[in-house]
Amino acid sequence: MSLLFWRKSALPTFSRGGVHPDEHKELTENLPIEDFIPTNVYLPVSQSLGPSAEPLVAKATKVKRGDVIARVPGGVSLHAPVSGIVKGVATGPHASLVYDTVITIQTKPGDDDPQFPEQPGWQALPVAQMLESIRDAGVVGLGGAAFPTYRKLALPKGAKVDTLVINGSECEPYLTCDYRLMLEESEKVVLGSWLIAKIIGVANCVIGVEDNKQPAAEKMRQTIAGLGLEKMEPPVKMTVVVTQTRYPQGSEKQLVQSLTGRLVPKGGLPLAVGVVVQNVATAIACLDAIRNAKPVMERVLTVSGRGIQSPRNLRVPIGTSVEDIVAHCGGYTNDLVKILLGGPMMGRTIADLDVSVTKGTSGLLFLTAAETSITRYQPCISCGECVDACPMGLEPNRVSQYMEVGRPLETEQFGVKECFECGCCSYSCPSHRPLVQFMQVAKAAYRRQERKTK
Amino acid sequence: MADAKVVSPHEILVEGALPADAASIRLVRSSDADIPLAVISVKPGAKSNSFLLTTAETLNSQDNYQLTAKGVDQPWEIAPSPLALVFSVIIGSALINNFVFTRYLGLCVFFGVSRNKDTAIGMGVTFTIVGLLSGMIAWALNTIALVPLKLEFMQIIAFIGIVACLVQATDLILKKVNPILHKKFGIYLVLITTNCIILAVPLLNATSGATMLQAFGLSLGAGLGFALALFLMSCAIEKVNMAPVPMVFKGLPVAFIIAGLFALSFLGFSGLKVA
Amino acid sequence: MSEAEVTSPPTLHLSSGPHIASGRTTAQIMWMVNLSLLPALLWAWAVFGWPVLAIAASSILGCATAEYLSCLISKTESTLPDGSAVCSGLLLAYTLPPAIPVWMPFIGGLLAIVFTKAVFGGLGYNIFNVALVGRAMMMATFPVEMTTRWLTPALGNVDAVSSATVLAQIKLGGPEAVNKILATVPDGGHLWLDFFLGMRAGSVGEVSVLMIMLGAAFLLWKGIIKLYIPLSVLAGVAVMAFFSPAPTIYMLSGGIWLGAFFMATDYVTSPTTAKGQIIFGLGIGLLTGIIRNWGGYPEGICYAIMLMNILTPALNDWFRPKRLTADGVPS
Amino acid sequence: MTCVPGKPVVDQAPPSGREMVIIAAGLTVVCLVAAMILGGLYFVTQPAKEHNLHVREETMIRGLLGLTPQARIQEVRRYLKREGKDTQVIYLTGKKLAQLELDGKELAALDVPGDVTAAGSAEAKDEWVKKQIKVADPEHLKYAGRFFVGIEGSQPAGYVVEGVTLGFKTWVRFFMAIDSSYTIQGVEIIEHEEDPGLGAEIVQRYFKNQFAGRSLADIEKISVIKDPLPKDWQTALEQLGDMPFRPWAEKYREMLPKNPNIYAITGSTISSTAVTVGVKAALGNFRKRMNIVEKYL
Amino acid sequence: MSEHRTPPPVSTMLMRGLFEENPIFRLALSLCPAVAVTTSVKNGLMLGVAVLVVQVLSSMSGSLVKHIINPKIRIPVFTLLIAIWVSAMDMILAAYFADIYQQVGLYVKLIVAFAIIISRMELFSMKHSVVPCFWDGLGMGLGFLVGLVLAGAFRELLGSGSIFGIAILPFKPLLLVVLPAGGFFTIGLIMALFNWVDVKRGHKLPSGGGGAHG
């Protein structure tokens, strides 16, 4: 795959590592976003990183679309994605926490449901108020991390930021929701980006799009030109940069390097090199929050894989259960072996269909045995594929060897602490070694040790 | 003093005035000074006042020769340069006849200390220094006292005494002079006394009647060779420690097999001629 | 709303990501290497005749037997299908003189697998290249057969006259031997062409540089090997060729190409980073030259690779991949 | 501490001054006693060692030359005296100590007392010679080589020369037996470090016995060839035995002219050539030296 | 230290050195000669006997002098004792067994550095009287001797095709076995064999491999 001279494209990209798995985007990339509203939504209260939220409703409460139903004290809120009746507040399954408090709402649309019209003068709101709106709207990073956006945008004092990077890379195979958003709602993306730029006070915004999404890049360019951002107040210079299609192009550190050439220091954030990164979907959410005072109630996700009868790009209320989506998409095929929340590289498997969509769910993949890898792993043959694939320049092979003999606390020298678990190593390993898992366990061992010494 | 050296198996390059006719030149191997070697021709060399002698017999650059010429007072002594000599002894004892892999000496310490790379380096450095010192002292004692006084039967006792005293002395001095270094290398000093290489070097020197330079070369080469072996072994052991070695081979058996494979690789150096 | 009745799904697999893989497997790599070795074997068969196939079979059988038995004894699943034992056997056969008694490669393969691989826990844990240890062991065990059983190549009818390899002749005879060799080339013939194509006495699989290049090109195309090691090996040898009376012969014979492209690039026993690989390759090249020019063996690359194999763990420690951190310095 | 279990001495409290004296005195006494015991043993074993060595060499020489039990073996030792440009060669034979110029001109010659001649040990002889020849620095007078004369009755029955040659790895030391017409009677390898299976084959009869029966003229023309050893020739060489000076089988004599060259050991041309070159040189040098030293024997 | 412990039965003392605490294969002490001189049975036997004698004499003399030496200089005195016996052995072998001595001479001299001897003096002679020391020394020495002879026999048989210089192997010997590398392989294999026997007998393997482990 990689000869001595392996860069085949002149497009910008990150300096080392990365893989290029089969994209499989053709399954959904030409399908417009469809709306789907299920009869019931199941809302786990924990929807963002950080402390968990407390439910504010009880059984039989009538809720309207946009009502706050749970809140993290002093933090982001969870809103009712549909109008209806709370059927229960009880322990239920959560995509990643296994169990959580789940609010179940039966959908019952009413005539007086809020419509969230455009707020007058929204462009001129003070920054502090904008941040408040973002917080109240429950905006979190919709790329998957689900980090509260207001916290990311509230820059620490003295932080020097000069560039906003909008992440339209969508480097995970199968996923096409961001692509569809850029095509269908490019104006919202651009305006949202402009808003974020205004909030963090930068005049330069770069939108990174991988070259397998050329139509989206073209659309974005046209939209930017059409909107005339230079003339708006404040003026923002917005450019679309097409990058190489190479996983993990969408990872913050890699994207910052691809687009600005800057290297984020070890253990640091892009902020350290004057960059803030936001996902395209998050930009839209920010725009909704400020322009329409509309909280995050729904999200666009890709339902794909050969294990589902009809793949779709869906806009669903937060809390839509996998089971309802499966039913909506025609059911699964018989050779289904794995259901994933997220992309195939970093997504998580789920055990049952009663899990529901959270704010961070960007995809729902139904993989068949032919698509996924279920093999026993073999000894490391030191081929170095993982070292070549690691975008951070770590040595997963050696970490795995140390882990196999139970020496996790000697692996820092190979960089485990810098691993962000993109999965390139495991993907490229011909011996199918669970390298990311080894890295995770090693990191856990260090965390445990740090806890003990504290 | 005019210089002369063997430049190829049949040629000697001589600097200085030399009669042009081969008959008036007498070239002998120093150990066979009574048998002249036939000189075929004398030609002017590339540099001015230098001559190239061609001989019928094959010359050896490691050997000593003597060249005399009619009308020239000083004879030319042709000997391998001391530096080359020491170098060849060092390479010989460190690589070609590595004490660990071809003479099997120092194995206890070798297998004991090679578990960890840092320890291996520490031991290697300490050993090389102490080994060089003890080798030279033992050589001096042997040449100055034991041989002239016909006390060769005391060699073993004398050499082991020197090693023990030297280790103790180094320990004391190091403790006083550089406590940090002592803390780092002190533990290895105790182990050195149980390493048979340190005893084998003076014994070999005594048996072969080595000159000071040879003794120096052998002591240094043995130390370096041991340090190298230790380091390489520690690298391998670190790797093997992560391997699912079959149970009966765990520990020493597999270490021996690695040593065997090392010895096999070091065969590549056999027959190496260091000029 | 629901359009289909959702029944309980089939057994779902739970695992953490990534859930897709590159599709390459260890066995695939090994068998591709085996495939890439075939041109050289075909050439050997063409110029040396049937015995070379017997040698290859014997050596593969030796390796496979040892591999099978070691799996049997350690009660683990047989690792024969992964093709690595076959690969070792094939490579071992390539380093042997074509007229060696057929039972010897069997012994060599057997010993090589046992002492280099089985004892250490199997594929991936060996420190030395299995095939080369096999050759070195055979060299020590059957020194006469390993140094004298050469065949003069002839397309069609095999000339069974044994002679020393060209490098051995040069080592013994010096410049005069070179002249003698040059004199054997008919007017209008090209010595280098004979060597490049493989019309010379040599080990089974290394005589034809062209065939080795073909195999290597396949591996390069498939991305199984990279050029760092082979190129630096060749560069190292090229430096040392200046000391030789016949640089062309020096560069085109003695198994350098086989060693550079197929032995030194063995994943398990070579460093993983580019820098480490370059140092590794240069080390092999220079050591080969040292052994050839001043040492006891006319070919030398076998021991050079083994000696550098010893250093591989250290090279992996010394040459770390460049981290994607601001200072880019591995901590 | 891998090798010596138990506490190392250094861990204990340092001894007091008084204790130190006692310890030192004790150690000194022990050392002295040890030295005395070993010295005594040395005086017992040293002569035995030398005697045994002498006997071994004599047995080998007798065998090589095929001497009768009554025959006597006389060692001839050669020394070089070098002072400045002046070099002299000194021979110690059974009768004379001859001090000669390099070209053979006699400078001095004295009779050797019987006890020195008979002494088995080389050391005794060297010491006696050093007493007779005055040099400024003992380093200036050096032992340079030796050969043996086998004497039947009062006539020399043959000579054995000690020679060295540089083999594939290190020096190869050999004995070469010669009769009075400079025909080689046999070659015996005394010491070598060649590779087993390869160069080490020089000790095999089929190789070393190839030199037997060659005259000086034969040897001067001899070269090493890499052809395979003919089967019948090999059989003859094997049958010749280690100690070949016996009435040779007619067959062997017939075969010798058919094989004028030395067949190299397969795979060890360097070692084979080295021994051949060594034998050639040793024989040539011996003849030159015999011209000078013969009259002192 | 002056109290004598009750010595174990003679058979135990003898057998201990042969198997359980075999100085070469179990304790992994004094490995150098095990590889170096075992190219033939004869060499192994000769060095084995030398070690046996030195071991017995050193153990006994150590036991004799243990009351009169200052504990602070115990190790130097023990070393000296060993050196005396080794020197004596060396001279005797050089004088009367010159041909084998030529091959094993250096290793005879190096017996002085063999850890097995001083460790037995430390562990056993310090606590027991002369007679048990004799048996213990004999056991350890025999263990060493048997180890050397075993390795020597294996290597001579496979590597030279003979035993005691008498050719018995019908096929071409494997030269590798007499080379340095072969020595290491042989000892490694015999050690593995000892481990295997131990596993079969239901013992646990020594965790440290006798002080040195890979």
Side-chain angles (χ1 to χ4, degrees), chain A residues 102-418:
Chain A
V102 174
I103 302 168
T104 310
I105 302 172
Q106 191 174 23
T107 316
K108 225 178 218 159
D111 300 334
D112 52 347
D113 287 349
Q115 293 306 312
F116 306 108
E118 186 174 321
Q119 308 285 312
W122 60 274
Q123 286 145 315
L125 284 177
V127 167
Q129 209 173 322
M130 284 185 170
L131 278 172
E132 222 164 88
S133 303
I134 289 175
R135 186 190 70 198
D136 292 344
V139 181
V140 299
L142 296 178
F147 186 79
T149 305
Y150 79 95
R151 278 177 44 200
K152 199 167 173 181
L153 296 183
L155 301 179
K157 269 211 176 100
K160 279 193 189 122
V161 178
D162 55 15
T163 308
L164 169 67
V165 164
I166 294 297
N167 186 354
S169 300
E170 198 162 51
C171 54
E172 284 261 16
Y174 291 98
L175 303 189
T176 54
C177 51
D178 287 355
Y179 170 69
R180 288 311 304 180
L181 280 176
M182 285 188 281
L183 269 184
E184 296 175 24
E185 298 179 9
S186 56
E187 195 179 310
K188 286 178 87 176
V189 174
V190 174
L191 284 174
S193 305
W194 173 81
L195 258 181
I196 296 173
K198 179 183 163 119
I199 292 170
I200 59 173
V202 299
N204 185 25
C205 174
V206 189
I207 300 172
V209 181
E210 281 188 337
D211 72 343
N212 60 351
K213 290 175 271 290
Q214 287 288 3
E218 199 42 51
K219 185 79 200 286
M220 294 293 291
R221 281 199 186 109
Q222 286 167 5
T223 314
I224 291 165
L227 282 171
L229 293 171
E230 291 79 11
K231 290 177 210 95
M232 286 173 78
E233 186 50 45
V236 172
K237 183 175 166 275
M238 206 171 279
T239 39
V240 175
V241 176
V242 174
T243 60
Q244 261 181 51
T245 306
R246 190 161 153 228
Y247 180 85
Q249 193 69 264
S251 159
E252 277 192 347
K253 287 174 188 173
Q254 274 63 36
L255 189 64
V256 167
Q257 202 204 359
S258 301
L259 299 181
T260 67
R262 299 175 198 175
L263 280 174
V264 179
K266 186 183 165 193
L269 293 170
L271 201 59
V273 290
V275 181
V276 167
V277 183
Q278 285 297 349
N279 176 266
V280 285
T282 317
I284 295 177
C286 288
L287 181 72
D288 281 345
I290 294 165
R291 189 178 70 175
N292 304 67
K294 179 183 172 191
V296 177
M297 297 179 298
E298 57 201 16
R299 73 153 297 142
V300 178
L301 74 146
T302 304
V303 181
S304 186
R306 311 260 175 219
I308 191 85
Q309 296 292 358
S310 59
R312 309 266 166 96
N313 288 308
L314 290 180
R315 188 191 307 274
V316 296
I318 308 292
T320 306
S321 77
V322 172
E323 188 167 7
D324 289 341
I325 294 174
V326 170
H328 179 71
C329 296
Y332 45 73
T333 60
N334 286 331
D335 47 357
L336 171 73
V337 291
K338 267 186 194 175
I339 302 178
L340 300 180
L341 290 178
M345 294 298 285
M346 291 180 78
R348 293 162 186 273
T349 48
I350 55 173
D352 202 0
L353 303 178
D354 54 358
V355 175
S356 55
V357 171
T358 60
K359 290 180 183 172
T361 310
S362 53
L364 188 56
L365 300 185
F366 299 80
L367 300 184
T368 60
E371 287 172 289
T372 182
S373 60
I374 305 163
T375 345
R376 270 233 319 275
Y377 76 87
Q378 289 161 318
C380 172
I381 55 164
S382 307
C383 61
E385 289 290 339
C386 54
V387 179
D388 286 343
C390 180
M392 296 303 290
L394 316 180
E395 289 162 275
N397 55 340
R398 305 199 60 188
V399 174
S400 78
Q401 287 163 354
Y402 274 75
M403 294 304 293
E404 277 185 323
V405 289
R407 289 158 67 184
L409 295 179
E410 291 164 56
T411 54
E412 194 182 352
Q413 50 175 325
F414 310 117
V416 269
K417 286 184 172 175
E418 289 165 60

Side-chain angles (χ1 to χ4, degrees), chain B residues 186-201:
Chain B
I187 39 167
Y188 307 119
L189 281 171
V190 194
L191 280 177
I192 287 177
T193 29
T194 62
N195 187 345
C196 32
I197 296 180
I198 207 152
L199 205 61
V201 168

Side-chain angles (χ1 to χ4, degrees), chain D residues 97-114:
Chain D
L97 178 73
Q99 195 172 355
L100 312 169
E101 294 260 20
L102 283 180
D103 54 6
K105 204 170 88 188
E106 182 180 305
L107 295 168
L110 39 139
D111 291 330
V112 183

Side-chain angles (χ1 to χ4, degrees), chain E residues 202-213:
Chain E
H203 287 242
K204 262 185 154 178
L205 289 181
S207 56
H213 78 115

